[in-house]
């Protein structure tokens, strides 16, 4: 028993997961939706979306999608992963191939257009506005809009979560990147080496903020999944000499 506790101590000290009973996120059932595409063949027009990931070429690539507001859920769906396949249209490729995309943007409503004639992302429509490279893996681009089947799937990420720090000496803004498992985050706390846990507020997309003076302290984070409500702790993610504008990684992640 003492040996097990010692192992757990070293695991936590090295930045591991405090909650050791996390269940793996399970894929959902297939559901119906529609999909369109935006941007060009390079996918560059899909960068810097509403989730705040910045340059997706540094992480998520071009297999991404903007979600209608029904799916976007005020940004709490950012980072979620979906399998999508075209079905029931002559534009679908043979065999109904599947592409896995990450939610990185919002497809906003267009109230000037009818929901069935151009206002594809108007509530209550479930819609994916996919990057052109991703859409082109399931259907011919010329189709414009196609019916699809979709389902949530676990996000497979390499390595642990990453934390991009912004703000100033009185305000810490953290972007949570490379989240595995459910892919999403709904709650976050930060702890300096000289403070107790401070609950952060949701700023927008994948960013959370704390109005505290945390300079000169190593930083640890607690992260809660929006879907599963599981919480993990990443200890000593940023060293005492951390700096605004840098991104710090950890081995900690959801599965």
């Amino acid at each position: 028993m003492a040996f097990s506790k010692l192992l757990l101590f070293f695991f936590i000290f090295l930045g591991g997961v405090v909650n050791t009973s996390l269940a793996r996120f399970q894929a959902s059932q297939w559901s119906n939706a529609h999909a369109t595409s935006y941007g060009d063949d390079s996918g560059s027009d899909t960068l810097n979306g509403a989730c705040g990931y910045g340059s997706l070429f540094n992480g998520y690539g071009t297999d991404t999608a903007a979600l209608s507001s029904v799916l976007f859920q005020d940004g709490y769906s950012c980072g979620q992963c979906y399998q999508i396949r075209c079905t029931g249209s002559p534009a679908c490729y043979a065999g109904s191939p599947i592409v896995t995309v990450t939610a990185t943007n919002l497809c906003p409503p267009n109230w000037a257009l009818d929901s069935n004639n151009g206002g594809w992302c108007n509530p209550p429509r479930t819609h994916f506005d996919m990057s052109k490279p991703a859409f082109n893996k399931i259907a011919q681009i010329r189709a414009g809009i196609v019916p699809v089947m979709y389902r949530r799937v676990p996000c497979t990420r390499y390595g642990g979560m990453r934390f991009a720090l912004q703000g100033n000496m009185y305000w810490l803004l953290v972007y949570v990147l490379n989240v595995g498992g459910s892919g999403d985050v709904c709650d976050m706390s930060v702890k300096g080496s000289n403070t107790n846990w401070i609950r952060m507020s949701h700023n927008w997309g994948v960013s959370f903020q704390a109005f505290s003076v945390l300079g000169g302290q190593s930083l640890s984070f607690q992260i809660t999944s929006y879907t599963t409500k599981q919480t993990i702790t990443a200890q000593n993610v940023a060293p005492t000499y951390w700096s605004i504008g840098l991104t710090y990684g950890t081995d900690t992640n959801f599965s």
Side-chain angles (χ1 to χ4, degrees), residues 35-83:
T36 49
S37 68
Y38 75 111
D40 58 20
D41 291 330
S42 71
S44 59
D45 289 347
T46 65
L47 303 184
N48 301 312
C51 289
Y53 289 116
S55 177
L56 302 178
F57 293 137
N58 294 328
Y60 297 106
T62 58
D63 285 346
T64 61
L67 308 183
S68 61
S69 55
V70 170
L71 291 171
F72 193 68
Q73 301 180 86
D74 294 325
Y76 287 112
S77 293
C78 289
Q80 292 179 354
C81 296
Y82 296 85
Q83 285 185 340

Side-chain angles (χ1 to χ4, degrees), residues 6-255:
L6 183 63
L7 285 178
L8 181 59
F9 169 78
F10 281 113
F11 184 62
I12 294 173
F13 177 77
L14 292 173
V17 181
V18 170
N19 187 339
T20 59
S21 60
L22 297 179
R24 180 175 175 81
F25 176 75
Q26 301 296 316
S28 66
Q29 298 297 312
W30 290 96
S31 301
N32 295 307
H34 286 82
T36 49
S37 68
Y38 75 111
D40 58 20
D41 291 330
S42 71
S44 59
D45 289 347
T46 65
L47 303 184
N48 301 312
C51 289
Y53 289 116
S55 177
L56 302 178
F57 293 137
N58 294 328
Y60 297 106
T62 58
D63 285 346
T64 61
L67 308 183
S68 61
S69 55
V70 170
L71 291 171
F72 193 68
Q73 301 180 86
D74 294 325
Y76 287 112
S77 293
C78 289
Q80 292 179 354
C81 296
Y82 296 85
Q83 285 185 340
I84 302 175
R85 60 180 181 177
C86 181
T87 179
S89 169
C92 299
Y93 292 140
S96 190
I98 295 173
V99 64
T100 302
V101 299
T102 300
T104 59
N105 205 351
L106 167 68
C107 181
N110 185 347
W111 300 115
L113 297 176
D114 185 89
S115 296
N116 295 311
N117 187 23
W120 308 126
C121 291
N122 295 348
R125 292 185 66 98
T126 302
H127 191 89
F128 296 87
D129 199 17
M130 303 170 65
S131 70
K132 192 173 181 180
F135 186 93
N136 199 38
K137 291 180 179 180
I138 63 170
Q140 300 173 41
I141 291 293
R142 62 176 176 79
I145 181 171
V146 294
V148 297
M149 299 284 290
Y150 77 96
R151 67 173 180 171
R152 286 275 309 278
V153 293
C155 296
T156 301
R157 306 296 184 209
Y158 296 101
M161 284 181 280
R162 297 192 293 269
F163 303 86
L165 308 186
Q166 297 293 335
N168 54 48
M169 64 180 299
Y170 303 105
W171 169 57
L172 179 66
L173 182 67
V174 181
Y175 292 84
V176 190
L177 313 173
N178 202 51
V179 180
S182 65
D184 50 31
V185 176
C186 71
D187 200 12
M188 188 170 174
S189 296
V190 60
K191 183 182 184 303
S193 49
N194 298 323
T195 73
N196 295 319
W197 283 104
I198 302 167
R199 187 173 182 181
M200 307 177 77
S201 59
H202 186 219
N203 185 282
W204 62 285
V206 294
S207 65
F208 291 78
Q209 61 190 358
F211 294 91
S212 302
V213 178
L214 294 166
Q217 305 177 60
S218 61
L219 302 180
S220 301
F221 297 104
Q222 283 186 340
I223 310 96
T224 300
S225 162
Y226 177 74
T227 300
T228 68
K229 307 309 179 190
Q230 294 173 333
T231 298
I232 56 178
T233 301
Q235 300 279 6
N236 302 315
V237 174
T240 55
Y241 50 86
W242 61 267
S243 179
I244 293 297
L246 296 182
T247 299
Y248 298 89
T250 175
D251 292 333
T252 302
N253 217 331
F254 294 105
S255 61

